[in-house]
Amino acid sequence: MIFSEKDRLTFSPFFPDKGSRAYFMAGPCSAESEEQMLETARHLAQTGIDLFRAGVWKPRTQPNSFEGIGEDALKWLATVKSETGLAVSTEVANASHVELALKYGVDVLWIGARSTVSPFTVQEIADSLAGVDIPVMIKNPINPDVRLWIGAIERIAKANVQKIAAIHRGFSSFGPGHFRNQPRWQIAIELKRLFPDLTLICDSSHISGRRDLLEEVAQKALDLNYDGIMLEVHPNPDQALSDPQQQITPEEFRAIKSRLIFRPADSENPHFKQSLESLRRQMDEIDEEILSLLARRMGLADEIGLCKKENNISILQTRRWSEILERNMEQGLAMGLNPEFITNISKAVHQESINRQHEVMRKPD
Ligand code: PEP
Ligand code: MN
């Protein structure tokens, strides 16, 4: 664990009614023209959002892609703000971005996934924020490293920024997959466990990478008790200069927003509390049984280890492992368990058996 109880960071709410409703941040991936910005913003203001977003400096994977308009687009953000009354935000990746964003009255800054990976970059941004209290959102790093994400949050918190939010945008992986960026929900859940009062926003657009997944991912995030949703919105998504496949029209945004359900984390209803408590008690008993069964299984693994050692046999028995996996899969599926879960749990148990046998082999007689 990185933080001990005594120096654990605490965070003030990013928005006043946090916990009782979802926060919405929306706008184009990139600022492309004043008309595009204003048209999007007018629609979004009508629908009702908390924060307008637009990338002014775009970190692109390949050179020669559209890399953003730069300072001129900050003027459009200022126009959006004065014409619609919306608070506006943009991504910053160095001290001069911060300086310019502040000059044009940007209300909220965000640090992109490619910046969060670099402590030098994050520290430069943090230093440039000294004495300025502007809310900052910190995207997860592109690699699945919760410590790096926390490190970036800590650097910004140390710059005395009062309002901080984390944005979960998913993690890069090799080759095509269902999602553009794997959500790996457990990483965000771990962040929530360590910092329960930190505001957490789901960037459904960059996780999904495609329109048909946006709503499902956003709803899942809300059901994991996230505080809000970020979606990329463009008046003509197919013509967008960046991320065309994942952007939606303002009308589509309005429809998704109206369907998303925010459920609070808790309820005072005594019936709810009672049923939950009774179910949880049963669950705790089962967890205890699972643990004692696992301990017994590991005891057998130790004995097998000893047996293999005495007979000078290798630990891994590939055929036996295939048989276990196949049998677990067959039985688990018949019990209604998810195949990926069966595989994961079987692998974890098998790996621990190997570790135990390895210890037995290593021990001098
Ligand atoms: C963005 O939000 O436009 C962006 C570039 O996102 P990320 O840093 O998550 O790739
Ligand atoms: Mn984008």
Side-chain angles (χ1 to χ4, degrees):
M1 210 68 25
I2 303 168
F3 296 106
S4 64
E5 282 301 327
K6 75 171 178 22
D7 60 9
R8 179 170 285 198
L9 293 173
T10 55
F11 297 93
S12 43
F14 196 81
F15 58 106
D17 33 9
K18 176 181 178 321
S20 59
R21 68 171 186 95
Y23 181 93
F24 281 93
M25 171 179 180
C29 176
S30 306
E32 298 173 4
S33 70
E34 190 168 39
E35 301 70 54
Q36 169 238 16
M37 295 270 277
L38 274 171
E39 185 183 343
T40 314
R42 285 195 184 110
H43 273 99
L44 292 173
Q46 233 177 22
T47 301
I49 58 165
D50 297 280
L51 185 62
F52 182 81
R53 63 146 285 153
V56 162
W57 298 281
K58 298 304 297 177
R60 304 309 300 279
T61 303
Q62 264 121 10
N64 307 323
S65 310
F66 172 66
E67 290 188 315
I69 301 283
E71 187 169 351
D72 281 344
L74 289 173
K75 296 175 190 156
W76 306 336
L77 266 182
T79 309
V80 161
K81 187 173 165 173
S82 64
E83 294 237 343
T84 65
L86 287 173
V88 299
S89 65
T90 200
E91 172 174 348
V92 289
N94 59 42
S96 91
H97 291 168
V98 172
E99 192 185 322
L100 282 166
L102 293 172
K103 176 175 157 195
Y104 286 93
V106 171
D107 300 286
V108 175
L109 305 176
W110 88 77
I111 299 178
R114 291 160 194 77
S115 299
T116 309
V117 293
S118 163
F120 288 135
T121 298
V122 176
Q123 194 56 51
E124 177 182 331
I125 296 170
D127 291 343
S128 71
L129 287 169
V132 192
D133 193 16
I134 184 169
V136 179
M137 298 170 140
I138 301 149
K139 289 202 170 198
N140 66 256
I142 51 177
N143 51 325
D145 184 344
V146 75
R147 286 166 180 253
L148 203 52
W149 197 1
I150 293 171
I153 293 168
E154 193 190 18
R155 284 176 200 276
I156 298 302
K158 279 193 169 158
N160 250 335
V161 170
Q162 294 302 306
K163 285 191 180 163
I164 294 183
I167 302 182
H168 176 207
R169 53 79 78 195
F171 302 90
S172 287
S173 61
F174 179 68
H178 186 59
F179 298 102
R180 176 179 176 193
N181 290 292
Q182 290 182 5
R184 294 178 179 256
W185 297 102
Q186 279 301 332
I187 293 177
I189 290 173
E190 176 65 358
L191 188 72
K192 266 184 93 62
R193 189 181 71 79
L194 293 170
F195 306 108
D197 54 359
L198 174 65
T199 299
L200 181 61
I201 310 285
C202 173
D203 172 355
S204 182
S205 299
H206 290 90
I207 289 179
S208 305
R210 39 187 261 217
R211 292 171 200 141
D212 61 332
L213 294 178
L214 295 171
E215 183 169 345
E216 184 188 324
V217 168
Q219 185 59 58
K220 178 155 185 183
L222 291 181
D223 289 332
L224 293 175
N225 202 220
Y226 282 47
D227 299 288
I229 302 298
M230 195 203 88
L231 286 167
E232 287 186 337
V233 178
H234 191 285
N236 194 350
D238 288 331
Q239 306 304 316
L241 298 181
S242 57
D243 292 350
Q245 296 96 334
Q246 70 194 31
Q247 300 207 58
I248 48 174
T249 63
E251 291 78 16
E252 286 164 333
F253 171 80
R254 178 194 279 268
I256 290 182
K257 180 174 183 270
S258 75
R259 287 191 297 264
L260 289 174
I261 302 168
F262 177 83
R263 300 178 171 100
D266 207 357
S267 156
E268 289 312 310
N269 180 332
H271 294 298
F272 163 76
K273 284 200 175 295
Q274 253 167 26
S275 347
L276 198 65
E277 210 170 290
S278 138
L279 290 166
R280 282 180 172 164
R281 249 198 318 270
Q282 297 175 52
M283 223 178 210
D284 291 348
E285 280 168 22
I286 292 180
D287 280 350
E288 202 181 317
E289 278 176 47
I290 293 175
L291 286 176
S292 77
L293 284 174
L294 284 171
R296 263 177 59 201
R297 195 190 191 283
M298 292 310 154
L300 290 172
D302 291 347
E303 283 183 44
I304 289 181
L306 206 56
C307 194
K308 286 177 182 165
K309 186 180 183 180
E310 281 164 8
N311 290 279
N312 224 12
I313 301 292
S314 68
I315 294 177
L316 181 63
Q317 308 277 315
T318 317
R319 241 215 352 251
R320 162 81 178 147
W321 166 226
S322 296
E323 282 164 13
I324 293 179
L325 199 53
E326 278 164 31
R327 198 189 50 235
N328 286 357
M329 187 58 73
E330 197 184 329
Q331 293 180 342
L333 286 177
M335 295 173 190
L337 296 176
N338 170 296
E340 197 180 326
F341 176 65
I342 300 168
T343 309
N344 288 344
I345 226 166
S346 304
K347 281 186 181 168
V349 170
H350 182 242
Q351 184 59 53
E352 181 60 9
S353 278
I354 290 176
N355 296 347
R356 299 278 293 227
Q357 294 181 39
H358 185 66
E359 280 309 305
V360 171
M361 294 269 183
R362 257 171 21 101
K363 242 189 237 152
D365 293 317

